[in-house]
Amino acid sequence: MTDRIYFDQASTSFPKAPGVAKAMYAYLTSLGTNVNRGCYEDAYAAEETVFNTRKLLAQLFHFPLTKNVILTGNITQSLNMLLKGLLRPGDHVLVSSMEHNAVMRPLVQLSRDGISFDRIPCRRDGTMILEQAEAMIRPSTKAIITLHASNVCGTHMPLAELGDICHRHHLFFLADTAQTAGIFPLDMEQLHIDGLAFTGHKGLRGPQGTGGFLISGQLADQMEPLISGGTGSVSHTEEVPSFLPDRFEPGTPNLPGIFGLHAALKELTPLSMEQIRTKELSLTGYFLEKLMELDPSEKHIRIIGRKDLSMRSAVVSIQTLDEDMASVAWHLDHDYHIMTRVGLHCAPNAHKTLGTYPAGTIRFSFGPQNTNNEIDFCIRALKEILDL
């Protein structure tokens, strides 16, 4: 078997949704105009696609305000804009102990300016100890922010329960959906989410360099723009526009990327999303089953996180107890053409929670194009590499 096997879908999806590359190529070769700058038909055509992209995103997340859909270059940029735009000296926030550095590095930066945070503890399988969350709220607490699913082990956080807590205590609720948008249904109103950050290149199966966030009007009123500049609107003044989306979208956007994202979103229906989710979780369950058959006592391979399919995504981390994990990952790639990710996955405190710090894990993550045959081949490769 010489074809490559791509088990790094949590980093970026591959292949992309049908029509993505074609839409990007068509924009670059046949349209190519900017938006909000030109008073001619082609510019209006580009603007229509950008608007329709916002509309599809609002529909996807059950959000009523299309103008409050802000397009950015990636989810990290979105989270920085949300956190640094909202928080002020003296504010306090709660996060899960499983957060990615896209949340934690901005918060650590902000902590130097008088903003504090506490981590809601999670168990060794990544599940949140929810009963501790409400007791950690202070008079100065302004928001709870959490990822929806761990990029290390796939475990989900209890968004509905956290949203209820925020609603009762009049806190902003911010969600990082990097691992779940486009795969799991998310209803912002039902979950009481004020700010939802998403990326275009993972579950949405769009191109890299796309992402954004959706914000309630109340949250938008509290936020200051992290970046400012030309928007093509109200050009008679040097003040930042007060209206959305312009207030948070200075400069020329990644239009080839947005055209690609638009094509990906058109492919995504409730039925297709359910099919993708069912396929990915089926692959995850099959892989977990085969791992446990390969080493039932976990003397050589330790499965990190949950071993069932409840409250989890299609991400499985393991530790190889007799062999260096970087070496195992190298052999998987070099000898078997199986692509994985090894290390700390930009989430050091998640590994401390899971008991895998500082060594990290080998991470396998699956998408709708992966197959059981690929998993069988991977299990045989692990058996040979580890001499089981």
Side-chain angles (χ1 to χ4, degrees), residues 213-226:
F213 58 94
L214 296 79
I215 47 174
S216 66
Q218 184 182 9
L219 177 56
D221 290 342
Q222 294 289 316
M223 284 177 56
E224 286 294 324
L226 181 61

Side-chain angles (χ1 to χ4, degrees), residues 38 55 80 87 131 149 164 178 180 185 211 216 227 262 283 311 363:
K55 188 175 179 180
N80 270 264
L87 300 176
E131 54 270 24
D164 286 341
T180 55
S216 66
I227 304 168
H262 179 255
L283 291 166
M311 290 292 289
R363 186 183 72 184

Side-chain angles (χ1 to χ4, degrees), residues 85-138:
L86 172 65
L87 300 176
R88 304 288 181 270
D91 286 342
H92 171 258
V93 296
L94 293 176
V95 298
S96 81
S97 70
M98 296 292 292
E99 296 304 313
H100 187 278
N101 276 343
V103 165
M104 294 317 305
R105 284 183 173 172
L107 285 178
V108 168
Q109 275 188 312
L110 289 167
S111 69
R112 299 170 190 149
D113 298 322
I115 293 161
S116 60
F117 64 87
D118 284 305
R119 305 179 205 259
I120 305 168
C122 296
R123 301 176 183 87
R124 274 296 181 97
D125 65 356
T127 55
M128 179 178 284
I129 305 175
L130 184 65
E131 54 270 24
Q132 294 196 25
E134 203 155 5
M136 297 172 72
I137 295 172
R138 305 178 187 175

Side-chain angles (χ1 to χ4, degrees), residues 83-365:
L83 292 168
K84 294 176 180 178
L86 172 65
L87 300 176
R88 304 288 181 270
D91 286 342
H92 171 258
V93 296
L94 293 176
V95 298
S96 81
S97 70
M98 296 292 292
E99 296 304 313
H100 187 278
N101 276 343
V103 165
M104 294 317 305
R105 284 183 173 172
L107 285 178
V108 168
Q109 275 188 312
L110 289 167
S111 69
R112 299 170 190 149
D113 298 322
I115 293 161
S116 60
F117 64 87
D118 284 305
R119 305 179 205 259
I120 305 168
C122 296
R123 301 176 183 87
R124 274 296 181 97
D125 65 356
T127 55
M128 179 178 284
I129 305 175
L130 184 65
E131 54 270 24
Q132 294 196 25
E134 203 155 5
M136 297 172 72
I137 295 172
R138 305 178 187 175
S140 59
T141 303
K142 196 168 194 176
I144 294 177
I145 178 166
T146 182
L147 45 69
H148 185 193
S150 169
N151 70 308
V152 177
C153 64
T155 301
H156 284 202
M157 298 296 111
L159 291 191
E161 292 82 355
L162 290 170
D164 286 341
I165 290 171
C166 289
H167 186 64
R168 290 199 309 272
H169 291 271
H170 307 290
L171 305 177
F172 289 114
F173 186 31
L174 311 179
D176 167 2
T177 69
Q179 296 296 324
T180 55
I183 303 169
F184 290 83
L186 288 159
D187 187 321
M188 286 185 64
E189 290 193 306
Q190 189 177 69
L191 296 170
H192 302 297
I193 295 173
D194 297 284
L196 183 148
F198 69 91
T199 191
H201 71 103
K202 297 187 182 183
L204 296 179
R205 297 192 295 156
Q208 289 92 331
T210 60
F213 58 94
L214 296 79
I215 47 174
S216 66
Q218 184 182 9
L219 177 56
D221 290 342
Q222 294 289 316
M223 284 177 56
E224 286 294 324
L226 181 61
I227 304 168
S228 58
T231 59
S233 57
V234 291
S235 294
H236 66 283
T237 176
E238 294 174 342
E239 295 290 332
V240 176
S242 60
F243 51 86
L244 301 182
D246 297 41
R247 183 167 178 77
F248 300 110
E249 285 189 5
T252 297
N254 174 15
L255 288 167
I258 292 171
F259 271 65
L261 179 59
H262 179 255
L265 289 165
K266 287 198 297 182
E267 295 286 337
L268 197 62
T269 65
L271 178 60
S272 68
M273 193 162 73
E274 181 182 0
Q275 291 170 337
I276 288 169
R277 182 170 65 255
T278 300
K279 174 70 179 296
E280 290 186 359
L281 290 177
S282 174
L283 291 166
T284 304
Y286 188 69
F287 186 56
L288 289 168
E289 175 187 331
K290 293 300 178 182
L291 282 174
M292 288 185 277
E293 288 177 5
L294 181 62
D295 184 21
S297 61
E298 294 193 67
K299 290 182 179 179
H300 310 285
I301 299 172
R302 178 183 296 148
I303 299 170
I304 307 304
R306 300 182 68 86
K307 296 178 184 177
D308 59 25
L309 298 182
S310 61
M311 290 292 289
R312 64 142 42 248
S313 298
V315 176
V316 179
S317 270
I318 66 169
Q319 286 189 319
T320 52
L321 305 181
D322 302 325
E323 299 288 339
D324 178 76
M325 287 184 288
S327 175
V328 173
W330 183 85
H331 281 291
L332 284 170
D333 179 39
H334 184 267
D335 299 336
Y336 301 91
H337 310 291
I338 299 170
M339 291 171 280
T340 63
R341 184 174 177 181
V342 64
L344 293 171
H345 320 307
C346 302
N349 206 75
H351 285 277
K352 292 175 183 177
T353 298
L354 297 167
T356 52
Y357 185 87
T361 61
I362 306 172
R363 186 183 72 184
F364 303 79
S365 49

Side-chain angles (χ1 to χ4, degrees), residues 69 78 132 160 189 245 368 374:
V69 179
S78 299
Q132 294 196 25
E189 290 193 306
E374 290 177 332

